[in-house]
């Protein structure tokens, strides 16, 4: 069993939102929203992100990549990104997608900033991909809860005072 005094910290929770409209480009990942969390002990940080994507003005394929990362800019991380869009564009219409992604980090005690970021992958020069309503949530789970008291599995007879 775990006693109240042995619990190091309850899972931490922090969330950031960005309601700005952000145009994605083909060059590098663009920050859509960032979140900062401080952890008191070694543990896991589970992140989940969501963003609305609008794809329009294309006559060819158009795909957006979205991922969670610790470094600004750069390129997509293999196996860590979500892709949304069309490999063969159906028309020159206006399409909206809700894209989500998640990631887990194991970190020592400290303060960490994570970013939900995105970029165009395959897009005709005239296509537009816009991101809006980005949300990034970080949840901290400690890997230790301090001392744990073992409980006997054998039944204990109550003491009766006479």
């Amino acid at each position: 069993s775990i006693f109240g005094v042995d619990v190091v910290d309850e899972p931490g929770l922090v969330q950031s939102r960005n309601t700005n409209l952000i145009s994605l480009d083909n060059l590098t990942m663009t920050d859509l929203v960032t979140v900062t969390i401080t952890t008191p002990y070694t543990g896991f940080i589970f992140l989940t992100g969501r963003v609305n994507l609008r794809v329009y003005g294309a006559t060819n394929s158009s795909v957006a990549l979205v991922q969670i990362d610790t470094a600004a800019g750069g390129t997509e991380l293999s196996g860590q990104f979500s892709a949304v869009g069309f490999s063969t564009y159906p028309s020159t219409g206006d399409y909206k997608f809700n894209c989500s992604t998640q990631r887990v980090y194991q970190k020592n005690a400290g303060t960490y900033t994570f970013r939900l970021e995105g970029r165009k992958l395959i897009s005709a020069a005239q296509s537009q991909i816009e991101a809006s309503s980005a949300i990034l949530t970080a949840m901290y789970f400690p890997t230790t809860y301090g001392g744990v008291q073992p409980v006997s599995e054998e039944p204990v007879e109550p003491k009766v005072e006479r």
Side-chain angles (χ1 to χ4, degrees):
S1 66
I2 298 175
F3 297 92
V5 295
D6 293 328
V7 176
V8 173
D9 193 43
E10 293 299 318
L13 178 66
V14 64
Q15 183 180 79
S16 291
R17 297 172 184 232
N18 183 359
T19 58
N20 295 332
L21 189 64
I22 299 170
S23 293
L24 302 183
D25 66 36
N26 288 323
L27 302 175
T28 61
M29 289 288 182
T30 300
D31 284 355
L32 306 176
V33 64
T34 62
V35 68
T36 299
I37 189 168
T38 299
T39 61
Y41 301 96
T42 298
F44 291 97
I45 301 172
F46 174 75
L47 295 119
T48 181
R50 181 191 60 76
V51 63
N52 294 326
L53 296 171
R54 177 180 176 219
V55 179
Y56 65 97
T59 57
N60 203 335
S61 58
S62 193
V63 175
L65 301 180
V66 175
Q67 68 182 14
I68 296 170
D69 196 6
T70 56
T75 59
E76 63 274 5
L77 303 169
S78 180
Q80 297 295 337
F81 60 84
S82 294
V84 173
F86 304 99
S87 59
T88 304
Y89 210 76
S91 74
T92 58
D94 191 331
Y95 300 91
K96 295 180 175 83
F97 299 96
N98 190 342
C99 182
S100 62
T101 188
Q102 60 189 25
R103 191 152 183 203
V104 176
Y105 289 86
Q106 183 175 15
K107 296 287 190 180
N108 293 324
T111 299
Y112 300 96
T113 298
F114 300 95
R115 48 201 12 97
L116 180 66
E117 55 187 14
R119 79 174 184 96
K120 290 195 281 187
L121 176 65
I122 305 169
S123 296
Q126 72 276 18
S127 77
Q128 300 295 316
I129 301 179
E130 295 174 339
S132 64
S133 302
I135 298 173
L136 184 57
T137 304
M139 293 171 274
Y140 162 70
F141 299 93
T143 55
T144 181
Y145 286 96
V148 176
Q149 275 311 106
V151 175
S152 173
E153 293 183 18
E154 296 180 20
V156 177
E157 295 294 323
K159 289 184 179 180
V160 178
E161 302 248 350
R162 295 185 188 197

